[in-house]
Amino acid sequence: MVSMVFRGRTWRNRWVSIALLAGLIAAAFLVRQLEQTDVGDVEGHATAIDGDSLYVAGREVRLQGIDAPEGQQVCRRGGAKWECGEAATQELTALIGGQTVRCEGLEIDKHGRLLALCFVGNLNVNQEMVIRGFAVAYGRYGSEEREAANSNRGLWAGEFERPRDWRRERGIGN
């Protein structure tokens, strides 16, 4: 009888340990989810992911109000193929220039990214990408897009498919 009681306690202790471990894992998961849904501002070193997304201080940020060609998107310029997606990424990289980037969080998108207005000093990075012609307006910056188109800047210097349409045709990001 003593042996069975001892075994019962050991078995019970294992279940308690498993329950505690499961609780810790659940708590860690919850903390991670809360971090990803934080709409707060972020500031720090930034790296361009593509023409409309950055990693800022380790957080993925999508530039709100604009849409840039995807990394693998190809356009035409002067009758030849032009890697406009890569060009947009390079333009954003040059624009942030290794400086501190400050992003004002607005919301979290369906992919868990922070949608934000980002600045280098007082320069609105989102707006500047449209002015330079390497992104199109996506809910904001309509007059800047018209100005870039009329001046044949960036994408407007050739032929391109709007990034949203390009993604839709390929079933990307739906």
Side-chain angles (χ1 to χ4, degrees), residues 6-17:
F6 179 73
R7 286 185 187 155
R9 287 183 181 166
T10 301
W11 185 249
R12 192 172 311 141
N13 288 343
R14 285 185 189 150
W15 278 111
V16 168
S17 296

Side-chain angles (χ1 to χ4, degrees), residues 13-31:
N13 288 343
R14 285 185 189 150
W15 278 111
V16 168
S17 296
I18 291 170
L20 285 173
L21 182 59
L24 288 173
I25 291 170
F29 179 76
L30 180 61
V31 166

Side-chain angles (χ1 to χ4, degrees), residues 49-51 68-74 83-89 166:
I49 298 170
D50 56 27
E70 296 300 314
Q72 64 269 36
Q73 188 170 344
V74 177
E83 294 181 2
C84 56
E86 181 59 33
T89 304
W166 189 90

Side-chain angles (χ1 to χ4, degrees), residues 130-131 133 143-153 156-157 160:
V130 176
I131 288 170
S143 62
E144 290 86 346
E145 180 181 295
R146 285 186 293 280
E147 177 187 324
N150 291 337
S151 301
N152 295 319
R153 287 194 294 259
W156 303 99
F160 71 96

Side-chain angles (χ1 to χ4, degrees), residues 32-59:
R32 177 75 174 148
Q33 289 301 106
L34 289 173
E35 286 175 355
Q36 291 179 350
T37 59
D38 178 23
V39 183
D41 299 346
V42 63
E43 182 174 345
H45 175 75
T47 305
I49 298 170
D50 56 27
D52 55 20
S53 301
L54 298 166
Y55 280 116
V56 180
R59 180 142 187 215

Side-chain angles (χ1 to χ4, degrees), residues 59-127:
R59 180 142 187 215
E60 188 171 357
V61 177
R62 172 83 165 69
L63 302 178
Q64 199 271 346
I66 73 171
D67 196 14
E70 296 300 314
Q72 64 269 36
Q73 188 170 344
V74 177
C75 303
R76 298 195 68 76
R77 183 184 263 181
K81 288 184 179 180
W82 173 52
E83 294 181 2
C84 56
E86 181 59 33
T89 304
Q90 291 174 0
E91 191 69 22
L92 182 55
T93 298
L95 184 58
I96 60 176
Q99 301 174 68
T100 297
V101 175
R102 176 181 48 84
C103 296
E104 299 172 358
L106 301 171
E107 63 183 287
I108 303 297
D109 74 4
K110 66 182 180 180
H111 303 291
R113 300 173 298 191
L114 178 66
L115 286 175
L117 296 176
C118 295
F119 300 86
V120 172
N122 291 324
L123 180 71
N124 180 328
V125 173
N126 309 41
Q127 181 181 39

